[in-house]
Amino acid sequence: MTSLDTVLDKDGVRLIVDDAVATVTLTNPAKRNAQSPALWRALTEAGRALPGTVRVVVLRGEGKSFSAGLDRQAFTPEGFDGEPSFLDMARGPEAELDATIAEYQEAFTWWRRNDLVSIATVQGHAIGAGFQLALACDLRIVAEDVQFAMRETSLGLVPDLTGTHPLVNLVGYARALEICATGRFVHAEEAERTGLANLVVPADQLDAAARDLAGALVAAPRDAVVETKALLVGALSRDYEQQRVAERAAQGRRLRDLAGITD
């Protein structure tokens, strides 16, 4: 594979690979990168299509908004061409509805694989499903004009695209509940202060900031980054003593590897 290969370009999603860094772009700025089941399937396909050489994935949206959330056409009786409407899905068997939502969630889960570090670059609106897609990534660089909001409750729904777990981990239960229940906007200053954003930059510097961060991430040995990410992710579910044990085991693996010792 040569540098800057376009691996996928369909249904509002483009995947380009440049050696160890892949870029996934939402490519429907005319609709503010509104999301649909077809887009979710394309995102899932992008994750599966990543070459094994990729270490960092940058997620971005074309235009003034990262993603305005779910395309409201999903709630119309006709839905999308070739797709059942959400209203028809709700009338079907509960097990089928659950399986369909689980399929949609796959577009949001692969970003946290231990062998990757994912960076969302977010400008303008990141609403509902757009907010959850940004939360699916490990890190977030946001523009000064960013507006996060979780609007599902205002529609009588709940956030169901894997965003609730990272949101609570980042900002805490009380603030997460308030953000979700009110549907209010979270702007750049609050996002950085509460940990939603790792960095705030002017909108025209988003891509450059992502390149700088991606470069810093790939500078470290891959196996050390993979082990460190696994340790940090696991720390969320381990107690202090369990984490000490996990650190020792991980360091033992790294030292044996550096010494050329194979089990």
Side-chain angles (χ1 to χ4, degrees):
M1 180 169 293
T2 60
S3 182
L4 291 178
D5 274 352
T6 300
V7 178
L8 179 145
D9 194 351
K10 63 187 292 188
D11 297 322
V13 175
R14 182 170 61 243
L15 167 63
I16 292 177
V17 174
D18 184 4
D19 297 326
V21 180
T23 301
V24 175
T25 303
L26 308 181
T27 60
N28 192 4
K31 297 192 75 171
R32 295 194 298 166
N33 297 312
Q35 299 181 31
S36 66
L39 180 141
W40 293 333
R41 285 193 290 271
L43 284 174
T44 300
E45 186 176 342
R48 293 172 179 167
L50 289 175
T53 54
V54 170
R55 297 180 54 188
V56 175
V57 182
V58 177
L59 171 64
R60 58 188 298 277
E62 289 184 347
K64 295 183 177 180
S65 291
F66 174 74
S67 175
L70 180 65
D71 191 324
R72 295 296 183 89
Q73 189 174 336
F75 292 104
T76 63
E78 61 273 14
F80 302 101
D81 289 342
E83 302 274 0
S85 75
F86 281 20
L87 301 177
D88 289 338
M89 285 165 39
R91 298 185 184 103
E94 186 174 341
E96 289 185 12
L97 178 60
D98 182 77
T100 299
I101 296 173
E103 178 189 348
Y104 296 161
Q105 288 176 329
E106 291 181 15
F108 296 75
T109 57
W110 63 265
W111 304 90
R112 294 200 173 223
R113 283 167 31 188
N114 282 344
D115 62 319
L116 304 171
V117 178
S118 53
I119 307 167
T121 63
V122 189
Q123 79 283 6
H125 291 95
I127 310 297
F131 191 5
Q132 294 188 76
L133 187 55
L135 286 166
C137 292
D138 297 305
L139 310 172
R140 280 152 297 282
I141 302 173
V142 307
E144 294 169 335
D145 67 347
V146 75
Q147 297 183 66
F148 290 115
M150 203 73 84
R151 291 292 178 85
E152 283 81 356
T153 51
S154 64
L155 300 173
L157 302 170
V158 301
D160 67 334
L161 296 171
T162 78
T164 56
H165 189 274
L167 182 63
V168 171
N169 284 333
L170 288 165
V171 305
Y173 159 75
R175 189 180 295 270
L177 175 60
E178 180 245 333
I179 288 171
C180 291
T182 64
R184 70 171 177 87
F185 286 111
V186 177
H187 299 280
E189 184 278 330
E190 181 182 357
E192 186 173 37
R193 173 169 47 84
T194 59
L196 279 173
N198 296 83
L199 181 67
V200 177
V201 299
D204 61 359
Q205 296 180 23
L206 270 179
D207 289 341
R211 284 194 299 270
D212 289 345
L213 181 53
L217 289 166
V218 300
R222 180 171 196 164
D223 289 345
V225 174
V226 170
E227 289 274 16
T228 299
K229 180 176 177 179
L231 271 176
L232 295 175
V233 170
L236 298 174
S237 58
R238 299 187 191 106
D239 62 26
Y240 181 78
E241 191 59 36
Q242 290 170 332
Q243 187 68 4
R244 288 181 63 211
V245 172
E247 288 176 0
R248 295 198 302 271
Q251 192 71 301
R253 287 190 294 272
R254 296 304 315 126
L255 289 171
R256 286 193 297 274
D257 184 67
L258 291 172
I261 301 171
T262 57
D263 294 331

